[in-house]
């Protein structure tokens, strides 16, 4: 559904200027409502609910700041620009102290006004979106996971259900999808939330050191073991241990892990006795463990022990419009780390991100935003600030041209037939992902659904 145009309320008693400004702003695509007095402007606040207000300072029944004060008294925050033919420094200071966002004097430059309006509306839109996201992400229902797609809502529901259990969990998903965040959400939702959450990457520990790292060792257990050391299982006692990249764990250690899951005990290297531990294990992997079992690289009994509770983290390409929210989230965080002020994602750059499939998933998007913030000198992220691979894909898409059929003109398909054929090809190319298909076709999803329904009706005729 197409977003409605921003509504601007123009309060100006000079009829000719009011008409001129209204026409200029409507050409820019804004909806405009006009008033000539303070009373009309105050009434318009409730009737029109404007997104931005431009008001003359001196009006027949008072001054424009009265409208601003009424707006503030009602608890609303709307960008407010004051214009006047009697501009002085004192008046400017008074207007800005009262909460106006800008102060312009007559004779008025319409280009200057239009630029101010564009910037204020963009800033207000991003501020509103960030406030909404912050509220959403901090709520209990968000579980610390950014995203509003149906895939993410389904994942959150599964996390809540799994968190009630004490059994081991297997979190699967492509690289970069956020499996550790999912594991942490399970821990935070569980009764173990007050205990430790310890993540460890199995691929980052040398095989010969794994047993000691996980189960600990006694002093003198092996060369270099000068003192006893607690292992990761002991450190995670009462909490959760995340075994990331579980597929990289050697078979010998997999057998010991299975015993921990079955018996709840560990045996440190060099020790003659076992120790009880109370640890919930969450395993994560991007590998196909079924194939690993078939190839002898993963124990079948351990797989079935973990597979009982499995969560699949969706890739970014299947998360509908979450790219926009995630990009906003990473832009805010990166700007803060770089000690930058307000940064906005330009419209073209945002469209490029939305059209890109992100094979590296959320991690790749975060990296792209980090690069953009690093190379952005102004306050708007532009296409040239994005990685070359994202810009290249957009260029390649733009260079595509339809191929016209040859032969008798009477045999050429109708425009409707060409459209139907192309829509089907796009749907097939994106494996049924209608959000991606709509983006490629340049239409909203409602239009796409209407086209698909029309195609079904034609097929049944």
């Amino acid at each position: 559904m197409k977003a409605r145009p921003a509504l601007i309320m123009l309060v100006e008693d000079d009829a000719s200027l009011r008409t001129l400004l209204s026409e200029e702003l409507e050409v820019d695509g804004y909806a405009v409502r006009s008033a000539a007095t303070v009373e009309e402007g105050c009434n318009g606040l409730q009737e029109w609910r404007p997104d931005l207000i431009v008001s003359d300072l001196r009006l027949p029944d008072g001054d424009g700041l009265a409208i601003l004060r009424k707006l503030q008294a009602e608890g609303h925050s709307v960008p407010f620009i004051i214009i006047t033919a009697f501009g002085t420094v004192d008046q400017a200071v008074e207007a800005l102290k009262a909460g106006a966002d800008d102060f312009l004097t007559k004779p008025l430059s319409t280009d200057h006004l239009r630029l101010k309006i564009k910037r204020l509306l963009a800033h207000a839109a991003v501020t509103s979106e960030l406030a909404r996201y912050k509220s959403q992400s901090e709520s209990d229902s968000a579980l610390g996971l950014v995203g509003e797609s149906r895939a993410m809502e389904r994942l959150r529901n599964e996390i809540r259900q799994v968190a009630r259990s004490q059994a081991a969990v297997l979190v699967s998903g492509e690289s970069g999808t956020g499996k550790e965040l999912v594991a942490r959400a399970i821990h935070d939702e569980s009764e173990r939330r007050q205990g430790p959450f310890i993540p460890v990457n199995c691929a980052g520990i040398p095989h010969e050191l794994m047993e000691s790292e996980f189960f600990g060792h006694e002093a003198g257990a092996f060369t270099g073991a000068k003192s006893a050391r607690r292992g990761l299982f002991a450190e995670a006692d009462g909490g959760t241990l995340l075994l990331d990249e579980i597929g990289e764990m050697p078979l010998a250690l997999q057998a010991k892990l299975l015993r921990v899951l079955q018996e709840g005990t560990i045996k440190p290297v060099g020790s003659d006795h076992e120790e009880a531990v109370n640890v919930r294990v969450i395993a994560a992997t991007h590998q196909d463990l079924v194939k690993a079992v078939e190839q002898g690289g993963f124990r079948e009994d351990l797989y079935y022990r973990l597979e009982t509770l499995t969560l699949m983290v969706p890739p970014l390409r299947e998360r509908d419009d979450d790219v926009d929210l995630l990009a906003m989230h990473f832009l805010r965080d990166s700007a803060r780390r770089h000690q930058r002020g307000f940064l906005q994602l330009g419209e073209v750059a945002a469209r490029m991100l939305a059209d890109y499939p992100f094979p590296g998933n959320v991690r790749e998007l975060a990296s792209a935003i980090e690069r953009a913030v690093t190379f952005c000198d102004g306050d708007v992220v532009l296409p040239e600030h994005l990685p070359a691979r994202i810009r290249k894909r957009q260029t390649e898409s733009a260079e595509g041209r339809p191929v016209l059929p040859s032969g008798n003109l009477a045999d050429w398909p109708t425009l409707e037939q060409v459209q139907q054929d192309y829509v089907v090809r796009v749907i097939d190319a994106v494996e049924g992902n209608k959000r991606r298909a709509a983006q490629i076709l340049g239409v909203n999803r409602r239009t796409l659904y209407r086209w698909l329904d029309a195609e079904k009706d034609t097929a049944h005729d």
Side-chain angles (χ1 to χ4, degrees), residues 3 24 32 47 58 87 138 203 217 243-244 271 323 340 395 461:
E24 289 280 336
V32 181
E47 181 180 354
R58 295 194 179 184
E138 291 179 350
H217 62 257
L243 303 179
D244 200 4
S271 176
V323 170
R340 300 287 301 274
T395 302
D461 288 344

Side-chain angles (χ1 to χ4, degrees), residues 293-306:
V293 169
E294 294 173 352
Q295 296 174 348
F298 201 83
R299 291 182 63 101
E300 184 176 24
D301 48 3
L302 177 58
Y303 170 73
Y304 285 116
R305 182 82 185 192
L306 296 172

Side-chain angles (χ1 to χ4, degrees), residues 53-72:
I53 299 170
V54 179
S55 176
D56 198 347
L57 182 61
R58 295 194 179 184
L59 295 165
D61 57 343
D63 67 75
L65 292 179
I67 302 173
L68 176 59
R69 286 190 287 269
K70 179 176 176 58
L71 189 71
Q72 295 168 335

Side-chain angles (χ1 to χ4, degrees), residues 349-386:
R351 189 163 61 247
M352 282 186 172
L353 293 175
D355 289 343
Y356 185 70
F358 284 103
N361 293 294
V362 179
R363 185 185 296 127
E364 184 182 6
L365 174 58
S367 175
I369 295 297
E370 183 74 16
R371 182 196 189 282
V373 171
T374 301
F375 285 92
C376 178
D377 294 326
D379 56 4
V380 179
V381 173
L382 301 174
E384 55 262 35
H385 302 139
L386 298 174

